[in-house]
Structures are given as structure tokens and as C-alpha cells.
Amino acid sequence: MRNWKEGKRMQKSINFALVGHMFMGRAHSHALNDVTMFMKDLGIRPVLKTICGVGAGLEDTRERFHWEKSETDWHKVVTDPEIDVVSIAVPGFLHKEIAVEAARNGKHILSEKPLARNYEEAYEMYEAARDNHVLNMVNFNYRRIPAVALAKQLIEEGQLGQIVSYKGFYQQDWALFGAPMSWRYKSEMVGKGPLEMGIHITDMARWLVGEIDEVVSVMKTVVKERQTADGSKEAVTNDDNTVWLARFKDGFMGMFEASRAHMGRKNFQWFEINGTKGSLRFELERMNELNVYLSNDCEDRRGFRNIIVTEEMHQYMKNWWPAGHMLGWEHTVLHQYYEFLKAFEEGSMPSPSFEDGMKAQKVLDAVVKSAEENRWVSVDEIGR
Ligand SMILES: NC(=O)c1ccc[n+]([C@@H]2O[C@H](COP(=O)([O-])OP(=O)(O)OC[C@H]3O[C@@H](n4cnc5c(N)ncnc54)[C@H](O)[C@@H]3O)[C@@H](O)[C@H]2O)c1
């Protein structure tokens, strides 16, 4: 396996293995199947070699998404000389082990978020990828929405002026319907606090407006126990709802909430950014739109405008449909693979990398520490 620093690749195809075949496994498989159909400037084609998973449905996913073979032991996948890239779409407690071993075997890696269960583990993943010179990317797929890219562009152009306030919410309701015990409700499997959803809004804030300096938080487990396969009850060991305030390094403040127990909220990720000259607002459930208020508009017609972000000049859109023909959630993952493959071709590090995943995780370790110790916690307090 060549080092990613060796410059532009001449090869025309690259062999993928994917560990995980269920929800995100299907999203990754879909992206890998379709990415070269639509992203015409890609000179490299992903080859779907091996899908790995445990439990029902593995063969079905293999067949539907055109994987050449299936495997149940991930150790065999990460040591297979035929594989160039390992994608990881399994619960968080497995990410570090798989990624570190994949990196040691020279495999490039695209891992699901959160990188791991805590900063310590995320750092080990970052270190292993860095020391073995492999490409690494974390699937913060919401960066890849054209409306979010437009938000970033407006901020970078200075259209909002100086940032005054950042608000980032991620609310869903699946914890309220009596689902049985699973890895999602165990801190030892997926980390404490708000990790699963909080990591997305933390990354979004870091990416759009910069680093967070300190946080203060509260966390609550709403549904305290769940039924196991044998009919007994087991305690939920992570939190359903976490709220935190933040001070950013640039001096402005932020407000965040990550919850899986907000009835009626399905995939409600929302941010609003207020600046001295303008504001903008985005909602994932209306992902083709961006709401923008600019104070330099004529005084008699100022107001929030709703931009449908599907014009040819918007990011990625020239590859898709005529304006107004909306994109869906699955495109976020496809765009992420596009960025990964482009980086591979160009011999550059893809973004967001494990370093971004690790830095977001550091913020959330501070959020957990704050709730546990009932005080403001500086992100710099979290270390190795
Ligand atoms: N980026 C996003 O938008 C997004 C959305 C949901 C979940 N996720 C992340 O994706 C990851 C997977 O979540 P999911 O919702 O797809 O979970 P899931 O429960 O639907 O699937 C888990 C997968 O892990 C596999 N698995 C478990 N143990 C294994 C083992 N020992 N060896 C091989 N495979 C094993 C299972 O076969 C299954 O395919 C998590 O890290 C989660 O945080 C990301």
C-alpha cells in the first residue's frame, strides 16, 4: 500500500471493504455504488470487494449492493492484501480496534462518527492513522449538504459580520417508543452523554465558526431501564438528553442540545448563527433550504429569505438534477465518499479527518465532565 503523501495516483480503481451491513452499512454501500455514476470528474472507481457484519441480513445486503463477497470476521478484512480501504460502520466500541489494526496493515480508513467512545480512544485512532501514513476520514456527513456549504461560504465572506451567537440542536424521539436494550443505550458500547448525536452538532459548530473554549452542561436519562432478550430489565447507562452552553475561543457564546427523547422530532438537526450584520438558519428536515437575513438588504424589504439551494452553482449540484429537484439524506454520505476518493486521487488528506473527529470528541468529553462535576470545564482540561 502506498503512502498517501506520495502524490497524485494513476490507478483507476480502488478496493473497498465495509465493516457493518445494517443502517449505515446500507448507506455506505449505496454511496459506493452510485458515486461514480454521478460525480463525473472522479477518475477513480471504488470496487466493492468485501462486506463484513454479524447477524441477519448480511447476504441480502451483499447481494443487493453488489459486494463481491461477505465475511463475518473483521480481522480477516483488515489483513486482506486485496483491500485498499476499510470503511467502518459498526457501533462505537469497535471503531478503535478495527481502525488501529487497519492502519497498521496500511489500509486507508473512512470511519463512522463518533470516532470512538471517548477522546483517549479517538486519539489512538488518529495516532495510528498518522503514524502509518494512511488516509483517514470521519463521516461527519452533514458538512456535505449544499445548503450547509452555502452557510459556510456566507460566513467566510463575512456576510454575517462578527459572530455573536451559535445555536446547535439535534433532536430525535426514538428513545421514547419502548425499544429493547441495545448497544445504543450502553455507555460502555457507545460512550457517555450525548455522543451519538452531539458529535454531529459539535463538528458542525467547529467547522462553521471555530473552536470551543469551555462548556457547562446537564445530562438526563429519561427512560432508565429497558427490556433484554430474556425478558429481564437492564439499566440504561448513557443519557437521553444533554444540554450545554459554550464559550467559543473567539469570545462569542453557544447553546447546544442533543436528545433522542424529544417526541415528534425525527431527525431535527438545526443551527442558527447570529452575527453583527446578518443571521442564518438551517434545518436538516428541510435540507435543501437555507434561511438567511442580511442587514445590507434594502431597509423596506429586509427579512429572512428562504434560499432553495439546488442551483447548478451550489456545491455538488451540477452533478445532480435541474434546480428544484431536491436531494435527500443519502446524498450526504455519497458526497463524503466523493471527497474521500478525490483526496485519494489527488494524494491529499481528506476532510474531515480523524484529527477533526478527535477534536470534536475532546469537546464532548468536556461536556460529560462538566455534567458529572457540575461546573464549567475548559476543553483544554481534557488530555491524555
Ligand atoms: N453519519 C450518520 O449520519 C450516522 C447515522 C447513524 C449511525 N451512525 C453511526 O454508524 C455506526 C453504526 O450505526 P448503525 O446505526 O448502522 O448500527 P446498526 O445497529 O444498524 O448496525 C451495526 C452493524 O455493526 C455490525 N457489527 C456489530 N458487531 C460486529 C462485529 N463484531 N463484527 C462485524 N460487524 C459487527 C452489524 O453486523 C451491523 O451491520 C455507529 O457508529 C453510529 O454512530 C452514523
Side-chain angles (χ1 to χ4, degrees):
M1 173 55 48
R2 277 176 308 180
N3 179 333
W4 66 269
K5 287 180 178 160
E6 282 171 7
K8 196 166 166 64
R9 303 299 195 291
M10 301 310 289
Q11 72 195 79
K12 292 285 170 225
S13 66
I14 177 170
N15 293 344
F16 274 79
L18 168 64
V19 192
H21 74 287
M22 288 161 83
F23 172 20
M24 288 313 292
R26 293 191 309 124
H28 285 243
S29 300
H30 167 263
L32 282 164
N33 269 283
D34 279 13
V35 66
T36 41
M37 277 181 216
F38 288 93
M39 302 292 150
K40 289 187 188 150
D41 62 322
L42 272 184
I44 191 151
R45 184 176 58 87
V47 179
L48 284 74
K49 282 282 173 193
T50 311
I51 180 135
C52 175
V54 294
L58 179 61
E59 272 314 299
D60 184 59
T61 303
R62 187 197 64 71
E63 203 177 314
R64 278 177 198 281
F65 291 95
H66 314 298
W67 289 93
E68 286 180 19
K69 57 186 178 194
S70 62
E71 178 54 68
T72 52
D73 180 357
W74 63 261
H75 297 90
K76 289 190 184 150
V77 168
V78 300
T79 49
D80 182 346
E82 202 181 27
I83 299 301
D84 299 311
V85 185
V86 174
S87 293
I88 302 174
V90 293
F93 73 99
L94 287 166
H95 290 191
K96 185 194 88 176
E97 231 185 321
I98 297 174
V100 168
E101 201 160 329
R104 285 187 186 139
N105 280 280
K107 312 300 181 196
H108 305 298
I109 310 165
L110 199 167
S111 174
E112 263 311 329
K113 49 47 64 175
L115 260 195
R117 289 173 291 191
N118 52 47
Y119 172 67
E120 177 74 27
E121 285 189 343
Y123 192 92
E124 282 182 55
M125 291 169 72
Y126 157 73
E127 211 171 30
R130 183 196 62 197
D131 294 351
N132 290 286
H133 308 293
V134 295
L135 289 180
N136 51 91
M137 188 182 226
V138 55
N139 192 26
F140 290 138
N141 45 323
Y142 298 120
R143 289 189 184 197
R144 302 294 170 215
I145 296 171
V148 172
L150 181 61
K152 184 160 173 69
Q153 188 187 331
L154 291 170
I155 295 163
E156 285 177 353
E157 286 171 7
Q159 305 277 354
L160 305 193
Q162 202 180 328
I163 305 298
V164 175
S165 172
Y166 186 96
K167 284 167 278 294
F169 293 169
Y170 203 167
Q171 300 162 345
Q172 297 179 344
D173 65 1
W174 46 270
L176 294 174
F177 295 100
M181 182 52 82
S182 78
W183 61 268
R184 296 180 207 274
Y185 304 107
K186 294 184 177 183
S187 62
E188 62 276 25
M189 300 198 96
V190 74
K192 289 185 184 173
L195 205 51
E196 280 279 296
M197 295 156 69
I199 203 80
H200 277 303
I201 54 179
T202 304
D203 175 68
M204 188 65 85
R206 284 190 63 249
W207 188 57
L208 291 176
V209 297
E211 297 296 342
I212 291 170
D213 193 19
E214 54 179 349
V215 293
V216 66
S217 71
V218 283
M219 311 193 298
K220 188 172 173 62
T221 306
V222 178
V223 180
K224 294 195 180 345
E225 49 180 30
R226 293 181 181 270
Q227 194 151 350
T228 61
D230 68 9
S232 62
K233 296 270 185 183
E234 199 178 321
V236 172
T237 53
N238 58 15
D239 300 272
D240 293 321
N241 193 19
T242 304
V243 176
W244 67 101
L245 297 178
R247 288 195 189 97
F248 284 76
K249 287 217 190 292
D250 280 352
F252 56 90
M253 53 200 165
M255 194 188 289
F256 296 83
E257 180 171 47
S259 176
R260 56 192 188 199
H262 272 50
M263 189 54 88
R265 293 301 190 193
K266 299 300 168 187
N267 201 14
F268 187 80
Q269 191 185 145
W270 178 91
F271 62 76
E272 179 163 313
I273 307 170
N274 312 105
T276 50
K277 285 165 49 181
S279 292
L280 54 80
R281 188 171 65 218
F282 168 80
E283 273 183 44
L284 182 58
E285 288 174 353
R286 306 182 71 92
M287 62 175 271
N288 293 274
E289 301 170 26
L290 186 69
N291 263 254
V292 180
Y293 181 102
L294 298 176
S295 62
N296 61 9
D297 283 347
C298 287
E299 207 174 347
D300 65 345
R301 61 207 66 177
R302 266 184 216 152
F304 272 94
R305 73 182 73 144
N306 191 35
I307 304 170
I308 307 289
V309 191
T310 56
E311 300 292 333
E312 204 178 280
M313 75 287 283
H314 292 131
Q315 195 169 16
Y316 308 120
M317 286 310 303
K318 71 176 188 316
N319 300 288
W320 294 104
W321 321 115
H325 294 70
M326 306 307 198
L327 298 194
W329 178 85
E330 70 279 18
H331 294 84
T332 64
V333 184
L334 187 149
H335 293 160
Q336 195 77 317
Y337 271 98
Y338 169 62
E339 296 294 341
F340 184 92
L341 291 165
K342 219 162 42 132
F344 183 85
E345 266 191 291
E346 289 165 1
S348 60
M349 181 55 76
S351 173
S353 66
F354 279 11
E355 188 172 0
D356 291 295
M358 169 190 80
K359 286 182 174 167
Q361 205 120 15
K362 193 171 186 182
V363 175
L364 288 189
D365 273 21
V367 168
V368 170
K369 193 175 175 73
S370 166
E372 288 177 347
E373 298 180 8
N374 199 23
R375 65 178 179 90
W376 279 90
V377 171
S378 161
V379 175
D380 288 340
E381 281 183 42
I382 307 300
R384 307 192 77 215

